[in-house]
Amino acid sequence: MKKFGFRCIALLVLLVVGLNFLNKFSLQPSDYTNTVNDFNDLIDQGKRVDVFFYGSSHACYSYDPNVIDSITIIRSFNFGMTSQRLNTTDFVFRETLKKSTPKLIVLDVFPFSLKHAEKEQEIANQKKAYYAFTELSINKIRAIVKNFPLEEIPNTIFPVLRKSDKVSTLFFKRKERYVFSPEEKVVKAYRGFIGNGSYLKKENFVPFEIDDFNESNSSNYNFLSETEKNALDSFLELAKRNNIEVLVVVAPYMNSVKDKEYKIFHNYIKNITIKRDAAFIDFNFLFEDLKLNHIDFKDIGHLNVSGAKKISTFLGNYIRENYKISSRENELSWVEEQPKTVTKYIQDNFIEEAVQIKTPLNKDFNIKAISFYDKGIEKNVIFKLDNTVTDSILSKYRIGFHTYVKDTNKDDLMAYSKSKKRNYDAWDFIPEIMEVGGNKYILKKINTSINEFPKIELFLYDRNGYKGILGNKVEIENIIIK
């Protein structure tokens, strides 16, 4: 009888090990697989992470570690995931704690992120996190048993057993990180952050307006069950037990304007954070301070890369001023991670990547070469001047700078260009000289998600207004920004 029992146990162990092995070959990796793999790579390289961001798509579209790290001089990582609910976030938190203990957690919340998944699509979306953390652990099994319906438990623990999942995901090529579907218009992806290049239509922009939020009774917030309310309290308690400070945030989203109970939600979160000695920032209250407008949103619920830069800059300064986290400025690996400045780009890459221009704009004004430093939706256009060009010469002119697009990119033109039925954007500007390494340059920043231009036009006209071209119109063909 004992031998039979041992055999059964041995067979069960072999079955579990076999199924877990097959799991690795049964899944198409998703954007969240990239996120977890990037985190594991950091840890494998011996790099410590100081700040973790958790939350739903509001988190992964809003908080850019590149921007935040450059301000705080620390290292951060974004674990946000589309449709992620707090009970799934709790699982992710526990899994990441096994690898690294941060100094600070930034938890993004909004009403639906605190709700447990109930509908089929909602449940399927939670599986992305469990699939991304491939290691079979007690924490993983416990979380799956606790958070999933009975019939979903086997195929969540062992994805090889699943028939199909309606998992909302963005697939990537195995040899390349962060290659998203074209519809997503991703212009930047870094350590879990997803920078989207879409713009919200102006007529759909509804700014959040502050009224009296001080007297609401948060105890009457009936949108959440007691179990769901306890989940947030439990998450904050877990952080406290691990001596991790917590900052709870709400990313700006226009649905909050329509939510009649948002006042109650805001005060509910505020009271919970006070109780747990955590800080709280509701970015919906900062629309005006941050100068958020329609070009900062990809849709009514999410920021694009431009809005994320504004939020991340604010958050970086807040973290630097309110938390004592040791600087990594003397750590070579951290320094090498930072994005290049325009000056550094000119020094290292301009000569190699520049397109030469042979025709002068006029007899006094000669642009010798042009290059593009792509920073996502923000592109730095760098013009190298002949060193004989002076400020007094520049003071006479504006530069006409037109970028023509393919028919497939017309929808991505600026609203004004589309209203005029143009097939180009006009970026005309007043030039100013900057000097790098003894050479003269002009810098023009443009915000566009378009990376391919069949033609670019350059010309000069009077600084006081257009009265015709002064000199030559220069055309540059087939520019692809990499």
Side-chain angles (χ1 to χ4, degrees):
M1 189 70 180
K2 287 184 178 180
K3 287 184 178 180
F4 177 76
F6 283 130
R7 286 176 181 175
C8 289
I9 293 172
L11 285 172
L12 181 61
V13 170
L14 286 173
L15 179 63
V16 169
V17 171
L19 289 173
N20 193 48
F21 176 77
L22 291 174
N23 284 343
K24 299 176 182 179
F25 303 97
S26 66
L27 293 171
Q28 267 191 295
S30 70
D31 57 313
Y32 206 62
T33 305
N34 291 329
T35 296
V36 174
N37 286 344
D38 277 358
F39 175 67
N40 289 335
D41 287 348
L42 275 179
I43 301 304
D44 291 344
Q45 294 165 23
K47 297 178 179 180
R48 306 293 295 177
V49 183
D50 305 297
V51 179
F52 288 173
F53 294 89
Y54 294 105
S56 65
S57 55
H58 288 205
C60 64
Y61 283 109
S62 298
Y63 312 116
D64 184 350
N66 258 162
V67 175
I68 291 164
D69 292 0
S70 68
I71 295 169
T72 57
I73 322 297
I74 59 177
R75 186 179 287 119
S76 61
F77 200 96
N78 193 325
F79 291 100
M81 184 191 84
T82 302
S83 301
Q84 190 176 109
R85 301 301 174 91
L86 184 59
N87 52 349
T88 300
T89 302
D90 184 87
F91 160 72
V92 174
F93 179 24
R94 293 173 188 271
E95 287 296 301
T96 51
L97 274 180
K98 295 176 183 178
K99 298 287 184 78
S100 181
T101 303
K103 303 292 184 182
L104 172 68
I105 284 170
V106 180
L107 174 66
D108 185 276
V109 297
F110 75 106
F112 280 98
S113 72
L114 301 181
K115 295 288 290 180
H116 291 179
E118 296 177 352
K119 297 179 181 178
E120 182 183 7
Q121 183 65 68
E122 296 169 353
I123 293 170
N125 285 341
Q126 305 314 301
K127 293 181 181 181
K128 286 172 62 177
Y130 294 89
Y131 293 166
F133 289 93
T134 57
E135 180 184 342
L136 188 61
S137 65
I138 298 299
N139 172 54
K140 185 174 183 177
I141 295 172
R142 183 189 295 121
I144 291 171
V145 171
K146 179 180 179 182
N147 297 325
F148 285 86
L150 182 62
E151 65 273 16
E152 298 289 345
I153 290 174
N155 65 65
T156 307
I157 296 176
F158 302 113
V160 70
L161 299 177
R162 81 198 193 289
K163 294 180 180 179
S164 65
D165 282 324
K166 295 181 178 179
V167 178
S168 174
T169 187
L170 306 169
F171 296 115
F172 78 118
K173 298 176 184 177
R174 288 182 179 273
K175 294 183 179 180
E176 298 180 58
R177 288 289 177 87
Y178 297 116
V179 179
F180 293 88
S181 61
E183 297 79 21
E184 185 60 16
K185 294 186 179 179
V186 173
V187 294
K188 180 179 182 182
Y190 179 76
R191 290 188 183 168
F193 168 71
I194 302 173
N196 186 281
S198 302
Y199 291 94
L200 182 69
K201 290 182 179 180
K202 191 173 184 178
E203 57 267 27
N204 293 334
F205 178 71
V206 184
F208 188 89
E209 295 182 1
I210 301 173
D211 61 5
D212 181 13
F213 272 71
N214 296 321
E215 302 302 323
S216 175
N217 184 0
S218 60
S219 64
N220 293 328
Y221 191 54
N222 298 320
F223 183 72
L224 301 177
S225 68
E226 286 304 312
T227 301
E228 291 163 341
K229 289 178 180 179
N230 290 337
L232 177 57
D233 198 54
S234 175
F235 184 97
L236 297 175
E237 174 60 27
L238 177 60
K240 186 177 181 179
R241 289 202 308 268
N242 285 275
N243 297 313
I244 304 170
E245 293 189 272
V246 179
L247 168 60
V248 179
V249 295
V250 183
Y253 67 106
M254 277 165 275
N255 306 57
S256 61
V257 179
K258 303 175 183 178
D259 186 350
K260 295 179 181 179
E261 291 195 336
Y262 190 80
K263 179 189 295 186
I264 304 174
F265 165 77
H266 171 90
N267 282 284
Y268 168 72
I269 299 298
K270 181 179 178 181
N271 290 341
I272 287 285
T273 54
I274 290 172
K275 174 185 172 183
R276 286 297 181 185
D277 196 27
F280 177 45
I281 300 174
D282 188 338
F283 282 107
N284 286 308
F285 284 64
L286 299 173
F287 264 70
E288 188 173 334
D289 292 348
L290 295 171
K291 296 182 172 56
L292 293 172
N293 54 54
H294 69 284
I295 65 169
D296 295 315
F297 287 82
K298 85 178 189 77
D299 53 43
I300 62 172
H302 304 88
L303 296 169
N304 61 21
V305 71
S306 173
K309 184 176 181 179
K310 292 182 179 180
I311 296 296
S312 299
T313 299
F314 179 96
L315 198 54
N317 285 309
Y318 181 90
I319 291 171
R320 184 185 63 188
E321 293 167 7
N322 291 277
Y323 297 94
K324 295 179 180 179
I325 304 176
S326 299
S327 168
R328 295 188 179 274
E329 61 184 333
N330 295 320
E331 184 180 308
L332 180 60
S333 63
W334 181 88
V335 173
E336 291 174 341
E337 293 167 5
Q338 303 314 300
K340 286 185 177 180
T341 62
V342 171
T343 298
K344 184 67 173 171
Y345 172 82
I346 291 173
Q347 292 170 337
D348 294 349
N349 302 92
F350 185 88
I351 293 175
E352 180 183 346
E353 298 182 6
V355 175
Q356 303 302 310
I357 300 175
K358 297 179 180 180
T359 305
L361 293 177
N362 67 20
K363 63 183 181 66
D364 297 320
F365 200 133
N366 185 13
I367 293 178
K368 299 174 69 175
I370 181 174
S371 187
F372 294 81
Y373 176 29
D374 188 5
K375 298 178 73 176
I377 200 169
E378 179 185 89
K379 294 169 173 58
N380 292 284
V381 188
I382 304 163
F383 305 90
K384 185 177 182 181
L385 300 174
D386 188 287
N387 277 355
T388 60
V389 179
T390 63
D391 287 326
S392 61
I393 292 173
L394 259 62
S395 66
K396 304 174 186 177
Y397 306 109
R398 286 180 184 266
I399 294 181
F401 176 34
H402 297 174
T403 53
Y404 287 77
V405 304
K406 293 182 174 181
D407 289 342
T408 53
N409 290 128
K410 283 185 176 180
D411 286 343
D412 298 319
L413 289 166
M414 291 189 292
Y416 182 77
S417 301
K418 288 189 284 189
S419 71
K420 295 295 183 180
K421 297 183 178 180
R422 294 174 175 172
N423 63 339
Y424 68 89
D425 281 324
W427 310 96
D428 300 8
F429 65 103
I430 295 174
E432 294 181 4
I433 290 176
M434 63 179 290
E435 292 195 21
V436 179
N439 294 309
K440 294 180 179 180
Y441 300 87
I442 295 171
L443 174 65
K444 172 61 181 174
K445 294 183 178 182
I446 63 175
N447 288 327
T448 178
S449 60
I450 302 169
N451 287 311
E452 187 171 353
F453 305 106
K455 183 175 69 173
I456 289 176
E457 288 183 345
L458 296 172
F459 54 90
L460 300 175
Y461 60 93
D462 190 284
R463 179 170 289 214
N464 296 318
Y466 185 81
K467 301 172 186 176
I469 295 174
L470 301 175
N472 302 312
K473 179 187 286 187
V474 174
E475 294 186 359
I476 309 164
E477 296 182 343
N478 300 322
I479 294 294
I480 299 175
I481 303 173
K482 298 179 181 180

